[in-house]
Amino acid sequence: MKRYIYTLCVILVGSSCLLSCMKSSDDTVVTYYETAITNMQLSAVNRKIHTTTSKGADTTYVKKLTTFPKFTVDHVNGRIFNADSLPSDCDLSRVLVTLTASSYTGTLFIKDLGSDNLIFYSSTDSIDFTSPREFRAYNTDGTLYKSYQVTLNKHTAPTGKLIWEERPLNEYPTKQAEEEAKWEKIVKEAGLKTFIGAARLEAYAYSNDNKLMVTRDNGTTWVEDDISSDPSLLPLDIFSYVYYPTKVDTEDDYILLVGLDAIWRKIVEDSKYGVLGEWVYMPLESYNQYTLPSFPEEMVYFNHAVLAFCPLEGIYESRDGGITWKDYPDIYVLPNKSGELLNFEVTTDNGYLWFKDKDEGKVWRGYILEK
């Protein structure tokens, strides 16, 4: 019986040590894992939205953040942080947070920014998170505490806007140029006149007698493609081409062929029972106020939309398959200081938009931070 009592005492003492505290060398910071903050959530964050009035004046208004990120509580290193950053326009000087603590925790404190004073935590009092804050979770009798450095991360660049960063010239992607060179060679060897573009299952070219040809076997054989409208409306000499997966079925391709006052589209279905698509002419309707102002020298599929780069007007976006085109100067800005396209080329790679200024030999990589 004595032996069992001794064993029980050893277990209780050991458990007490594990659930107790470990003081640092200066005897000031205590690690107490049963006294802990177990969860943190944002309850109120304001955003300062910048906009322009109808008279062109800059102004701001306040909008509540509606989607809150999850926070990671790192007990080992004493850190609490959000991996997904807040939008850059969030005001971190007045933030409401909701904390959840373990049942062993008594009182929660926040260390003052300018001193060692401790402030009682309240879910209704706003907190300044422009700098990391120290939170402390004390045990029920106030003798031990676990400290956390709490950081609110936010984007340094505006969300919902195209952000450019200059990159070395040798980083500009060459995959698209190499693919086009390959097809140019195939088209020439097939005795055709002009390469138009390639999608995932088909590629297109003009014959010497201006017929639109298609290959479905990587250039081995070419046949005249199906066209539903007057072939004389096809853009033969000046055109821009792009393809992208359709929203209905990502295995299908939506193709746009744009020339001077001419827009054609085709849908290529990747299906066992899919019907071969045909080229459809989309006339410029008089009621459509949102058309391309000029011929786009380049088109790319980026940010779930088609971007058309018009030499004088800038970047236009279409989200309805080329029917309407709108410019968003607050979203799509040009990287070069002159604000002109000049002699350029664009492509996409790994989720980025790449822009090369051929005259200056500079390269920019663009991306959009999600809201």
Side-chain angles (χ1 to χ4, degrees), residues 8 83 91 123 233 311 330:
L8 179 61
D91 180 11
S123 61
L233 299 175
D330 293 335

Side-chain angles (χ1 to χ4, degrees), residues 80-141:
I80 300 176
F81 59 93
N82 54 312
D84 295 329
S85 296
L86 297 167
S88 64
D89 52 21
C90 284
D91 180 11
L92 300 188
S93 64
R94 297 176 61 84
V95 177
L96 294 181
V97 300
T98 301
L99 299 177
T100 305
S102 66
S103 58
Y104 295 90
T105 303
T107 309
L108 299 175
F109 289 93
I110 307 170
K111 189 176 179 182
D112 188 32
L113 273 176
S115 67
D116 291 332
N117 296 332
L118 296 179
I119 305 169
F120 281 102
Y121 157 75
S122 171
S123 61
T124 59
D125 292 337
S126 63
I127 303 171
D128 185 350
F129 281 106
T130 54
S131 298
R133 302 299 299 270
E134 182 182 336
F135 282 36
R136 293 184 183 182
Y138 276 82
N139 62 354
T140 52
D141 59 10

Side-chain angles (χ1 to χ4, degrees), residues 46-52 58-64 87 89-90 159 371:
N46 288 332
R47 299 178 64 182
K48 293 183 178 180
I49 309 297
H50 292 263
T51 187
T52 304
D58 291 333
T59 185
T60 60
Y61 65 93
V62 176
K63 180 181 179 181
K64 296 289 186 182
D89 52 21
C90 284
T159 55
K371 293 184 178 180

Side-chain angles (χ1 to χ4, degrees), residues 266-277:
K266 182 182 181 181
I267 298 176
V268 180
E269 296 184 3
D270 179 23
S271 172
K272 181 179 180 181
Y273 303 103
V275 179
L276 294 178

Side-chain angles (χ1 to χ4, degrees), residues 210-247:
N210 296 330
K211 293 180 179 179
L212 201 161
M213 310 296 288
V214 61
T215 179
R216 300 182 178 94
D217 54 11
N218 294 316
T220 302
T221 57
W222 294 82
V223 296
E224 187 175 353
D225 209 356
D226 293 328
I227 299 176
S228 66
S229 305
D230 185 357
S232 66
L233 299 175
L234 286 168
L236 299 177
D237 300 317
I238 302 176
F239 56 83
S240 190
Y241 170 96
V242 68
Y243 85 91
Y244 56 94
T246 65
K247 295 180 180 179

